[in-house]
Amino acid sequence: MAQEVVVLGEEIGKVRLITLNRPRQLNVISSKVVSLLADFLEKWEKDENAELILIKGAGRAFSAGGDLKMFYDGRTSNDSCLEVVYRMYWLCYHIHTYMKTQVALVHGISMGGGASFVVPMKFSVVTEKTVFATPEASIGFHTDCSFSYILSHLPGHLGEYLALTGARLNGKELVVAGLATHFVPSEKLPELEKHLISLNSGDEKAVKSAIEEFSMDVQLDEESVLNKLSIIDECFSKDTVVDIIKSFEAEATKEGNGWIGAILKGLKRSSPTGLKITLKSIREGRKQTIAECLKKEFRITMNILRTAISADVYEGIRALTIDKDNAPKWDPPTWNEVDDEKVDLVFQPFKEDLELQIPGKEDCRWSGKYENSPYAALS
């Protein structure tokens, strides 16, 4: 049986088209996906004939994010997922700082790491079928793939809300929140793709104008959470997870705040360790550069996968995707039992050569690869 090509890269004139091609798995991100994406993007940034990069997902999803089963299967092996984590965060930096015009055509689910191929793009086109979320904290993980930077720079305390609750946003909400640039009805997306290919140019003004031929102005639905920002700012500005939840509980008792109940229930079922780590990471992200955030996320992820202070991430994945009983047993089980000093441990810097190597100078911007790190020699 022929091996599935998990990322397709097409060269059409001055346009380069990337298709995430694991439709049956909702285009989840494996080690192979990350390697192929990085190879294509480096090659095309250096190719004078490449001007416009388009990225889309095959099937009904853009990308559901990281391959949770891959992490779970690696739980008993020493640092089995280090390579894919290193490569992914290194790639995130290059997506944020890419030198050519990029357009994401986002149909369907775009979650966690999958959304890191969307939000940083010069142009990100969403539809009425787009669903965005960063639900990592709920399973004992943290908001990663550059989202500790992205979410922390949203207005007010919307970033804390999205990171801690894993709340979903639709296409219209993404545009209003500044996480996407254009809303296009899904039936027009194939036509837009053809139009951009025929444009055969990476000129930003021309690309923007081309997208605007298809895009619509958006109006939020009345019940959108983005119409509740005063409540979100009031609650999610509090210093600790416990105080945030207490404040949110108080708001839930007020008339017209019935929407809070389900979200509060989800928060209370989430990993206390995951929530505390995530809140600290988002708060730090406000004062950090994209490079600093990615280095921090690498440390946190490796410490979580190494179960430095808790094995919640594996218990969370088990309950959600392996046994599917949705009954995780967190350790520790309550917020008050999560020691803040232990949380601080997962943020501690590594030895300099074991940090994620983000290139500092433009002339060597594709340096710092995994294969040139000490980790590669150890594996």
Side-chain angles (χ1 to χ4, degrees):
M1 187 173 140
Q3 198 174 5
E4 180 181 51
V5 182
V6 295
V7 180
L8 304 173
E10 298 172 68
E11 303 188 0
I12 312 159
K14 294 177 180 176
V15 178
R16 304 292 178 262
L17 175 61
I18 292 171
T19 306
L20 304 172
N21 192 42
R22 302 179 77 193
R24 288 190 307 282
Q25 294 85 21
L26 302 181
N27 300 320
V28 293
I29 301 161
S30 64
S31 189
K32 187 69 177 164
V33 168
V34 177
S35 294
L36 288 169
L37 272 173
D39 288 348
F40 283 136
L41 289 174
E42 179 177 3
K43 175 186 171 189
W44 293 336
E45 189 177 275
K46 294 173 177 176
D47 179 359
E48 288 178 10
N49 296 315
E51 291 187 11
L52 177 64
I53 315 294
L54 305 180
I55 182 166
K56 65 176 185 174
R60 59 195 174 90
F62 180 80
S63 172
D67 187 341
L68 296 183
K69 189 172 183 302
M70 170 185 72
F71 288 114
Y72 189 78
D73 290 347
R75 70 195 182 283
T76 54
S77 311
N78 187 35
D79 283 352
S80 66
C81 293
L82 188 147
E83 180 178 345
V84 66
V85 169
Y86 188 105
R87 288 185 186 279
M88 180 67 187
Y89 297 176
W90 184 88
L91 174 61
C92 284
Y93 175 78
H94 290 84
I95 288 172
H96 274 267
T97 58
Y98 204 66
M99 304 290 199
K100 306 220 170 151
T101 306
Q102 296 168 295
V103 180
L105 301 170
V106 191
H107 182 64
I109 292 170
S110 172
M111 291 192 180
S116 69
F117 305 143
V118 176
V119 180
M121 303 299 186
K122 187 72 192 174
F123 302 106
S124 41
V125 179
V126 293
T127 76
E128 76 285 356
K129 294 188 176 172
T130 305
V131 180
F132 164 89
T134 50
E136 298 82 8
S138 65
I139 60 161
F141 200 54
H142 68 112
T143 308
D144 70 330
C145 295
S146 77
F147 274 97
S148 72
Y149 179 83
I150 293 166
L151 296 184
S152 65
H153 287 75
L154 291 177
H157 294 275
L158 180 60
E160 282 98 328
Y161 171 78
L162 294 172
L164 294 176
T165 66
R168 297 182 171 201
L169 295 181
N170 62 31
K172 290 178 183 175
E173 290 170 324
L174 287 169
V175 173
V176 172
L179 292 165
T181 60
H182 295 83
F183 181 91
V184 170
S186 58
E187 70 268 14
K188 290 186 177 179
L189 211 57
E191 200 183 334
L192 170 59
E193 182 187 323
K194 283 180 192 157
H195 189 50
L196 289 169
I197 290 169
S198 66
L199 187 68
N200 203 35
S201 165
D203 179 77
E204 277 183 24
K205 283 185 181 169
V207 171
K208 186 175 186 226
S209 173
I211 296 169
E212 284 172 352
E213 287 178 43
F214 294 79
S215 67
M216 294 168 50
D217 290 336
V218 299
Q219 277 195 301
L220 288 174
D221 300 329
E222 199 178 323
E223 68 276 11
S224 170
V225 75
L226 299 184
N227 289 325
K228 330 273 191 197
L229 292 182
S230 59
I231 294 172
I232 286 171
D233 285 348
E234 171 63 30
C235 299
F236 286 80
S237 60
K238 300 292 184 273
D239 287 346
T240 67
V241 170
V242 173
D243 289 342
I244 285 170
I245 289 171
K246 279 181 184 166
S247 177
F248 213 30
E249 281 175 331
E251 288 293 337
T253 64
K254 296 177 184 175
E255 194 174 337
N257 284 350
W259 62 277
I260 293 175
I263 294 163
L264 201 49
K265 191 175 172 186
L267 256 180
K268 290 179 174 179
R269 293 182 61 192
S270 297
S271 158
T273 302
L275 291 178
K276 280 203 169 185
I277 290 171
T278 296
L279 181 61
K280 181 176 168 68
S281 181
I282 296 287
R283 295 265 162 91
E284 286 191 0
R286 286 212 170 90
K287 304 183 190 98
Q288 292 173 322
T289 64
I290 180 63
E292 288 167 341
C293 278
L294 287 164
K295 286 186 170 200
K296 170 197 66 186
E297 289 174 6
F298 178 68
R299 295 171 201 136
I300 298 171
T301 292
M302 292 319 304
N303 281 320
I304 288 176
L305 295 178
R306 290 166 178 167
T307 65
I309 65 169
S310 169
D312 273 8
V313 67
Y314 299 120
E315 175 61 6
I317 295 172
R318 178 205 65 73
L320 181 70
T321 65
I322 309 298
D323 299 335
K324 298 181 181 173
D325 58 22
N326 286 315
K329 291 180 174 56
W330 304 125
D331 179 28
T334 67
W335 310 296
N336 291 326
E337 293 173 90
V338 181
D339 187 332
D340 288 342
E341 287 182 10
K342 282 193 172 178
V343 169
D344 291 343
L345 286 177
V346 303
F347 287 77
Q348 291 303 308
F350 295 154
K351 277 173 54 187
E352 181 51 43
D353 62 333
L354 296 178
E355 296 276 17
L356 179 69
Q357 300 299 313
I358 300 284
K361 294 178 183 157
E362 286 311 313
D363 57 352
C364 55
R365 85 176 232 99
W366 293 90
S367 65
K369 291 177 180 169
Y370 170 81
E371 49 268 36
N372 299 324
S373 75
Y375 292 117
L378 296 169
S379 63

